[in-house]
């Protein structure tokens, strides 16, 4: 009986692992291309590849509303509130204040992510980190001081004027 229970637990764990990692398993086995998998799973992957190919090497990016920078091959400043010390979002009231900070840091481009939404939310599921106020500041900044270069998967690249 104990052997049967242990085998059932082992089998259920293997099955659960397979279900949770099916995308990775499809790539490892060659059933799915790595590029296709990354495009499906990483919202900003396509734009990061575009940036790496087309944006000048001396560009300095500010990553707003996101913390996924792994695929970028350009200098960047991560704007994610809990892992950066450049901007204290609690003290910023206007997009002009935000603009002055990023310009002082030498930023040439803004990468702004509109997160995939759930239940009608229009900014992010991480409300404590990126809330509506912060997202609206970034939207106003790029509206007033940015020029849209390209958008892929709700991730936009703006040239900062």
């Amino acid at each position: 009986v104990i052997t049967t229970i242990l085998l059932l637990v082992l089998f259920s764990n293997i099955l659960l692992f397979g279900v949770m990692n099916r995308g990775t398993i499809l790539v490892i086995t060659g059933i799915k291309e790595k590029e296709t998998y990354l495009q499906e799973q990483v919202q900003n992957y396509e734009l990061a590849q575009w940036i790496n190919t087309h944006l000048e090497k001396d560009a300095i990016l500010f990553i707003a509303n996101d913390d996924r920078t792994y695929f970028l091959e350009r200098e960047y400043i991560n704007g994610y509130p809990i892992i950066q010390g450049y901007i204290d979002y609690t003290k910023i009231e206007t997009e002009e204040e935000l603009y002055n900070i990023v310009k002082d840091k030498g930023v040439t481009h803004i990468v702004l992510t509109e997160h995939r939404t759930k239940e009608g939310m229009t900014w992010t599921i991480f409300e404590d980190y990126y809330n509506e106020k912060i997202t609206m500041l970034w939207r106003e900044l790029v509206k007033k001081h940015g020029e849209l270069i390209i958008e892929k998967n709700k991730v936009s690249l703006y040239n900062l004027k």
Side-chain angles (χ1 to χ4, degrees):
V1 172
I2 293 176
T3 303
T4 304
I5 292 172
L6 288 175
L7 286 173
L8 284 172
V9 169
L10 177 63
F11 178 73
S12 64
N13 282 337
I14 291 170
L15 183 63
L16 180 62
F17 176 84
V19 169
M20 292 179 67
N21 295 288
R22 65 187 171 278
T24 305
I25 291 169
L26 291 173
V27 173
I28 291 170
T29 58
I31 296 171
K32 183 179 271 193
E33 292 291 322
K34 178 182 172 186
E35 288 293 312
T36 303
Y37 174 76
L38 289 170
Q39 289 170 1
E40 292 171 352
Q41 298 299 315
V42 182
Q43 182 182 4
N44 65 357
Y45 178 76
E46 284 185 78
L47 184 64
Q49 295 310 302
W50 190 94
I51 287 169
N52 296 341
T53 303
H54 296 95
L55 207 57
E56 47 282 349
K57 299 274 187 214
D58 62 346
I60 300 174
L61 306 168
F62 194 95
I63 312 303
N65 257 19
D66 210 338
D67 66 339
R68 298 164 297 171
T69 57
Y70 180 78
F71 296 104
L72 288 171
E73 297 172 1
R74 296 291 180 276
E75 184 177 346
Y76 65 85
I77 297 172
N78 194 326
Y80 199 57
I82 62 169
I83 58 173
Q84 58 85 31
Y86 295 104
I87 297 175
D88 182 353
Y89 288 104
T90 62
K91 294 181 179 174
I92 296 176
E93 295 299 322
T94 69
E95 81 281 347
E96 285 300 318
E97 292 174 70
L98 189 55
Y99 173 74
N100 290 333
I101 292 170
V102 295
K103 282 306 277 186
D104 286 348
K105 301 290 181 200
V107 171
T108 59
H109 296 79
I110 303 287
V111 176
L112 179 59
T113 301
E114 293 289 333
H115 289 273
R116 294 179 175 145
T117 59
K118 291 186 178 183
E119 300 175 13
M121 293 177 72
T122 55
W123 53 97
T124 176
I125 57 174
F126 305 107
E127 187 174 342
D128 292 337
Y129 307 133
Y130 273 120
N131 56 35
E132 188 173 17
K133 175 192 171 198
I134 295 170
T135 300
M136 292 307 296
L137 284 170
W138 283 112
R139 286 180 183 156
E140 289 299 316
L141 184 147
V142 297
K143 182 178 176 183
K144 188 171 182 181
H145 298 287
E147 178 183 352
L148 180 64
I149 298 173
I150 190 168
E151 183 270 331
K152 291 185 177 287
N153 263 349
K154 296 190 175 201
V155 183
S156 302
L157 174 67
Y158 294 89
N159 185 43
L160 195 58
K161 300 178 198 172

mmCIF file of all heavy atoms in Angstrom, residues 1 3 20 22 27 29 31 39-40 44 50 71 73 75 79-80 89 98 106 108 117 123 132 143 153-154 160:
data_model
loop_
_atom_site.group_PDB
_atom_site.id
_atom_site.type_symbol
_atom_site.label_atom_id
_atom_site.label_comp_id
_atom_site.label_asym_id
_atom_site.label_seq_id
_atom_site.Cartn_x
_atom_site.Cartn_y
_atom_site.Cartn_z
ATOM 1 N N VAL A 1 0.821 -1.194 0.000
ATOM 2 C CA VAL A 1 0.000 0.000 0.000
ATOM 3 C C VAL A 1 0.872 1.269 0.000
ATOM 4 O O VAL A 1 0.595 2.205 -0.728
ATOM 5 C CB VAL A 1 -0.961 -0.003 1.215
ATOM 6 C CG1 VAL A 1 -1.674 1.308 1.352
ATOM 7 C CG2 VAL A 1 -1.930 -1.150 1.141
ATOM 8 N N THR A 3 3.909 1.571 -1.033
ATOM 9 C CA THR A 3 4.580 1.671 -2.329
ATOM 10 C C THR A 3 3.641 2.275 -3.361
ATOM 11 O O THR A 3 4.035 3.135 -4.154
ATOM 12 C CB THR A 3 5.068 0.271 -2.788
ATOM 13 O OG1 THR A 3 5.920 -0.277 -1.792
ATOM 14 C CG2 THR A 3 5.804 0.353 -4.105
ATOM 15 N N MET A 20 3.279 22.331 -15.619
ATOM 16 C CA MET A 20 3.768 23.668 -15.280
ATOM 17 C C MET A 20 4.908 24.125 -16.192
ATOM 18 O O MET A 20 5.113 25.315 -16.372
ATOM 19 C CB MET A 20 4.209 23.723 -13.817
ATOM 20 C CG MET A 20 3.050 23.586 -12.854
ATOM 21 S SD MET A 20 3.562 23.615 -11.134
ATOM 22 C CE MET A 20 4.144 25.289 -10.990
ATOM 23 N N ARG A 22 5.390 22.975 -19.484
ATOM 24 C CA ARG A 22 5.154 22.455 -20.832
ATOM 25 C C ARG A 22 5.809 23.304 -21.915
ATOM 26 O O ARG A 22 6.331 22.772 -22.883
ATOM 27 C CB ARG A 22 3.671 22.257 -21.095
ATOM 28 C CG ARG A 22 2.847 23.518 -21.110
ATOM 29 C CD ARG A 22 1.348 23.195 -21.216
ATOM 30 N NE ARG A 22 0.521 24.360 -21.023
ATOM 31 C CZ ARG A 22 0.178 24.875 -19.853
ATOM 32 N NH1 ARG A 22 0.607 24.304 -18.746
ATOM 33 N NH2 ARG A 22 -0.576 25.945 -19.765
ATOM 34 N N VAL A 27 10.266 23.558 -25.993
ATOM 35 C CA VAL A 27 11.477 24.163 -26.563
ATOM 36 C C VAL A 27 12.648 23.179 -26.477
ATOM 37 O O VAL A 27 13.369 22.967 -27.454
ATOM 38 C CB VAL A 27 11.829 25.491 -25.861
ATOM 39 C CG1 VAL A 27 13.177 26.014 -26.333
ATOM 40 C CG2 VAL A 27 10.744 26.531 -26.111
ATOM 41 N N THR A 29 12.641 19.998 -26.357
ATOM 42 C CA THR A 29 12.479 18.852 -27.248
ATOM 43 C C THR A 29 12.480 19.243 -28.722
ATOM 44 O O THR A 29 12.432 18.376 -29.592
ATOM 45 C CB THR A 29 11.166 18.108 -26.936
ATOM 46 O OG1 THR A 29 10.064 19.024 -27.081
ATOM 47 C CG2 THR A 29 11.191 17.511 -25.544
ATOM 48 N N ILE A 31 10.162 20.884 -30.320
ATOM 49 C CA ILE A 31 8.805 20.979 -30.881
ATOM 50 C C ILE A 31 8.439 22.438 -31.136
ATOM 51 O O ILE A 31 7.755 22.758 -32.105
ATOM 52 C CB ILE A 31 7.781 20.300 -29.945
ATOM 53 C CG1 ILE A 31 8.088 18.798 -29.867
ATOM 54 C CG2 ILE A 31 6.356 20.555 -30.404
ATOM 55 C CD1 ILE A 31 7.297 18.054 -28.810
ATOM 56 N N GLN A 39 8.669 35.085 -27.469
ATOM 57 C CA GLN A 39 7.686 36.082 -27.904
ATOM 58 C C GLN A 39 6.348 35.881 -27.211
ATOM 59 O O GLN A 39 5.657 36.847 -26.891
ATOM 60 C CB GLN A 39 7.506 36.024 -29.418
ATOM 61 C CG GLN A 39 8.694 36.550 -30.171
ATOM 62 C CD GLN A 39 8.619 36.276 -31.660
ATOM 63 O OE1 GLN A 39 7.667 35.693 -32.164
ATOM 64 N NE2 GLN A 39 9.658 36.681 -32.379
ATOM 65 N N GLU A 40 5.981 34.636 -26.974
ATOM 66 C CA GLU A 40 4.714 34.330 -26.306
ATOM 67 C C GLU A 40 4.768 34.583 -24.807
ATOM 68 O O GLU A 40 3.777 34.985 -24.205
ATOM 69 C CB GLU A 40 4.329 32.864 -26.545
ATOM 70 C CG GLU A 40 3.970 32.547 -27.968
ATOM 71 C CD GLU A 40 3.802 31.048 -28.203
ATOM 72 O OE1 GLU A 40 4.114 30.240 -27.279
ATOM 73 O OE2 GLU A 40 3.382 30.683 -29.309
ATOM 74 N N ASN A 44 7.933 41.954 -23.243
ATOM 75 C CA ASN A 44 8.808 42.963 -23.845
ATOM 76 C C ASN A 44 9.916 42.377 -24.723
ATOM 77 O O ASN A 44 10.801 43.098 -25.178
ATOM 78 C CB ASN A 44 9.410 43.856 -22.764
ATOM 79 C CG ASN A 44 10.344 43.108 -21.834
ATOM 80 O OD1 ASN A 44 10.525 41.899 -21.931
ATOM 81 N ND2 ASN A 44 10.943 43.835 -20.907
ATOM 82 N N TRP A 50 14.145 44.411 -31.053
ATOM 83 C CA TRP A 50 14.131 45.539 -31.992
ATOM 84 C C TRP A 50 15.137 46.599 -31.528
ATOM 85 O O TRP A 50 15.920 47.121 -32.321
ATOM 86 C CB TRP A 50 12.734 46.139 -32.107
ATOM 87 C CG TRP A 50 12.629 47.129 -33.218
ATOM 88 C CD1 TRP A 50 12.209 46.890 -34.492
ATOM 89 C CD2 TRP A 50 12.964 48.531 -33.163
ATOM 90 N NE1 TRP A 50 12.272 48.048 -35.236
ATOM 91 C CE2 TRP A 50 12.741 49.069 -34.447
ATOM 92 C CE3 TRP A 50 13.450 49.370 -32.169
ATOM 93 C CZ2 TRP A 50 12.971 50.411 -34.749
ATOM 94 C CZ3 TRP A 50 13.686 50.703 -32.469
ATOM 95 C CH2 TRP A 50 13.441 51.207 -33.741
ATOM 96 N N PHE A 71 16.819 40.930 -21.629
ATOM 97 C CA PHE A 71 17.136 40.802 -23.050
ATOM 98 C C PHE A 71 17.666 42.093 -23.679
ATOM 99 O O PHE A 71 17.967 42.118 -24.866
ATOM 100 C CB PHE A 71 15.916 40.302 -23.824
ATOM 101 C CG PHE A 71 15.499 38.917 -23.402
ATOM 102 C CD1 PHE A 71 14.403 38.713 -22.588
ATOM 103 C CD2 PHE A 71 16.237 37.814 -23.796
ATOM 104 C CE1 PHE A 71 14.033 37.444 -22.195
ATOM 105 C CE2 PHE A 71 15.881 36.525 -23.401
ATOM 106 C CZ PHE A 71 14.774 36.344 -22.600
ATOM 107 N N GLU A 73 20.295 44.926 -24.653
ATOM 108 C CA GLU A 73 21.748 45.055 -24.854
ATOM 109 C C GLU A 73 22.149 46.523 -24.997
ATOM 110 O O GLU A 73 23.075 46.857 -25.731
ATOM 111 C CB GLU A 73 22.162 44.251 -26.094
ATOM 112 C CG GLU A 73 21.905 42.770 -25.947
ATOM 113 C CD GLU A 73 22.119 41.991 -27.227
ATOM 114 O OE1 GLU A 73 22.487 42.590 -28.262
ATOM 115 O OE2 GLU A 73 21.894 40.769 -27.208
ATOM 116 N N GLU A 75 22.502 50.352 -22.575
ATOM 117 C CA GLU A 75 22.526 50.891 -21.214
ATOM 118 C C GLU A 75 21.112 51.299 -20.832
ATOM 119 O O GLU A 75 20.372 51.863 -21.641
ATOM 120 C CB GLU A 75 23.462 52.095 -21.156
ATOM 121 C CG GLU A 75 23.629 52.654 -19.764
ATOM 122 C CD GLU A 75 24.612 53.803 -19.702
ATOM 123 O OE1 GLU A 75 25.372 54.022 -20.671
ATOM 124 O OE2 GLU A 75 24.610 54.485 -18.674
ATOM 125 N N GLY A 79 13.389 51.649 -13.795
ATOM 126 C CA GLY A 79 12.521 52.532 -13.033
ATOM 127 C C GLY A 79 11.604 51.842 -12.057
ATOM 128 O O GLY A 79 10.722 52.466 -11.480
ATOM 129 N N TYR A 80 11.801 50.560 -11.871
ATOM 130 C CA TYR A 80 10.929 49.804 -10.984
ATOM 131 C C TYR A 80 11.108 50.304 -9.556
ATOM 132 O O TYR A 80 12.216 50.253 -9.010
ATOM 133 C CB TYR A 80 11.275 48.324 -11.101
ATOM 134 C CG TYR A 80 10.200 47.386 -10.612
ATOM 135 C CD1 TYR A 80 8.917 47.427 -11.134
ATOM 136 C CD2 TYR A 80 10.477 46.447 -9.628
ATOM 137 C CE1 TYR A 80 7.951 46.561 -10.696
ATOM 138 C CE2 TYR A 80 9.512 45.574 -9.189
ATOM 139 C CZ TYR A 80 8.245 45.634 -9.721
ATOM 140 O OH TYR A 80 7.281 44.772 -9.281
ATOM 141 N N TYR A 89 9.114 58.106 -6.291
ATOM 142 C CA TYR A 89 7.821 58.412 -6.904
ATOM 143 C C TYR A 89 6.845 59.074 -5.937
ATOM 144 O O TYR A 89 5.951 59.795 -6.359
ATOM 145 C CB TYR A 89 7.193 57.134 -7.468
ATOM 146 C CG TYR A 89 7.879 56.611 -8.698
ATOM 147 C CD1 TYR A 89 8.728 55.513 -8.635
ATOM 148 C CD2 TYR A 89 7.669 57.194 -9.939
ATOM 149 C CE1 TYR A 89 9.355 55.020 -9.767
ATOM 150 C CE2 TYR A 89 8.291 56.710 -11.076
ATOM 151 C CZ TYR A 89 9.132 55.619 -10.978
ATOM 152 O OH TYR A 89 9.748 55.141 -12.116
ATOM 153 N N LEU A 98 9.283 64.578 -13.238
ATOM 154 C CA LEU A 98 9.790 63.293 -13.711
ATOM 155 C C LEU A 98 10.696 63.484 -14.926
ATOM 156 O O LEU A 98 11.786 62.904 -15.005
ATOM 157 C CB LEU A 98 8.609 62.381 -14.058
ATOM 158 C CG LEU A 98 8.881 60.930 -14.372
ATOM 159 C CD1 LEU A 98 9.651 60.253 -13.245
ATOM 160 C CD2 LEU A 98 7.563 60.198 -14.631
ATOM 161 N N GLY A 106 20.627 61.698 -18.261
ATOM 162 C CA GLY A 106 21.113 61.450 -19.613
ATOM 163 C C GLY A 106 20.255 60.507 -20.434
ATOM 164 O O GLY A 106 20.688 60.008 -21.478
ATOM 165 N N THR A 108 17.873 58.993 -23.058
ATOM 166 C CA THR A 108 17.520 59.384 -24.432
ATOM 167 C C THR A 108 16.217 58.755 -24.895
ATOM 168 O O THR A 108 15.575 59.260 -25.815
ATOM 169 C CB THR A 108 18.632 58.970 -25.415
ATOM 170 O OG1 THR A 108 18.818 57.541 -25.345
ATOM 171 C CG2 THR A 108 19.935 59.687 -25.098
ATOM 172 N N THR A 117 -3.603 43.281 -18.736
ATOM 173 C CA THR A 117 -4.533 43.640 -17.669
ATOM 174 C C THR A 117 -5.368 42.449 -17.215
ATOM 175 O O THR A 117 -5.575 41.496 -17.942
ATOM 176 C CB THR A 117 -5.467 44.764 -18.133
ATOM 177 O OG1 THR A 117 -6.175 44.312 -19.286
ATOM 178 C CG2 THR A 117 -4.691 46.016 -18.470
ATOM 179 N N TRP A 123 -3.453 49.561 -15.352
ATOM 180 C CA TRP A 123 -2.034 49.851 -15.168
ATOM 181 C C TRP A 123 -1.288 48.569 -14.872
ATOM 182 O O TRP A 123 -0.642 48.031 -15.739
ATOM 183 C CB TRP A 123 -1.783 50.959 -14.148
ATOM 184 C CG TRP A 123 -2.419 50.779 -12.801
ATOM 185 C CD1 TRP A 123 -1.849 50.283 -11.679
ATOM 186 C CD2 TRP A 123 -3.759 51.095 -12.442
ATOM 187 N NE1 TRP A 123 -2.749 50.259 -10.652
ATOM 188 C CE2 TRP A 123 -3.920 50.760 -11.077
ATOM 189 C CE3 TRP A 123 -4.844 51.622 -13.122
ATOM 190 C CZ2 TRP A 123 -5.117 50.938 -10.408
ATOM 191 C CZ3 TRP A 123 -6.028 51.804 -12.449
ATOM 192 C CH2 TRP A 123 -6.155 51.472 -11.106
ATOM 193 N N GLU A 132 -1.735 53.720 -10.438
ATOM 194 C CA GLU A 132 -2.312 54.560 -11.475
ATOM 195 C C GLU A 132 -1.612 55.916 -11.565
ATOM 196 O O GLU A 132 -1.374 56.431 -12.652
ATOM 197 C CB GLU A 132 -3.814 54.745 -11.224
ATOM 198 C CG GLU A 132 -4.526 55.453 -12.353
ATOM 199 C CD GLU A 132 -6.025 55.473 -12.159
ATOM 200 O OE1 GLU A 132 -6.504 55.243 -11.040
ATOM 201 O OE2 GLU A 132 -6.721 55.742 -13.149
ATOM 202 N N LYS A 143 3.668 61.770 -23.628
ATOM 203 C CA LYS A 143 2.747 62.546 -24.470
ATOM 204 C C LYS A 143 3.330 63.932 -24.749
ATOM 205 O O LYS A 143 3.270 64.433 -25.869
ATOM 206 C CB LYS A 143 1.397 62.669 -23.760
ATOM 207 C CG LYS A 143 0.342 63.404 -24.540
ATOM 208 C CD LYS A 143 -0.964 63.407 -23.747
ATOM 209 C CE LYS A 143 -2.026 64.222 -24.450
ATOM 210 N NZ LYS A 143 -3.264 64.279 -23.632
ATOM 211 N N ASN A 153 3.407 44.580 -28.529
ATOM 212 C CA ASN A 153 2.850 43.889 -27.353
ATOM 213 C C ASN A 153 2.545 44.823 -26.186
ATOM 214 O O ASN A 153 2.778 44.470 -25.031
ATOM 215 C CB ASN A 153 3.805 42.811 -26.858
ATOM 216 C CG ASN A 153 3.473 41.453 -27.352
ATOM 217 O OD1 ASN A 153 2.410 41.237 -27.922
ATOM 218 N ND2 ASN A 153 4.370 40.526 -27.139
ATOM 219 N N LYS A 154 2.081 46.010 -26.466
ATOM 220 C CA LYS A 154 1.784 47.005 -25.436
ATOM 221 C C LYS A 154 3.024 47.490 -24.688
ATOM 222 O O LYS A 154 2.969 47.932 -23.548
ATOM 223 C CB LYS A 154 0.733 46.504 -24.456
ATOM 224 C CG LYS A 154 -0.618 46.265 -25.099
ATOM 225 C CD LYS A 154 -1.669 46.014 -24.063
ATOM 226 C CE LYS A 154 -3.020 45.915 -24.762
ATOM 227 N NZ LYS A 154 -4.112 46.156 -23.855
ATOM 228 N N LEU A 160 13.088 60.543 -26.330
ATOM 229 C CA LEU A 160 12.856 61.631 -25.380
ATOM 230 C C LEU A 160 13.379 62.930 -25.976
ATOM 231 O O LEU A 160 14.538 63.030 -26.337
ATOM 232 C CB LEU A 160 13.559 61.314 -24.051
ATOM 233 C CG LEU A 160 13.151 62.124 -22.844
ATOM 234 C CD1 LEU A 160 11.654 61.986 -22.554
ATOM 235 C CD2 LEU A 160 13.948 61.666 -21.637
#
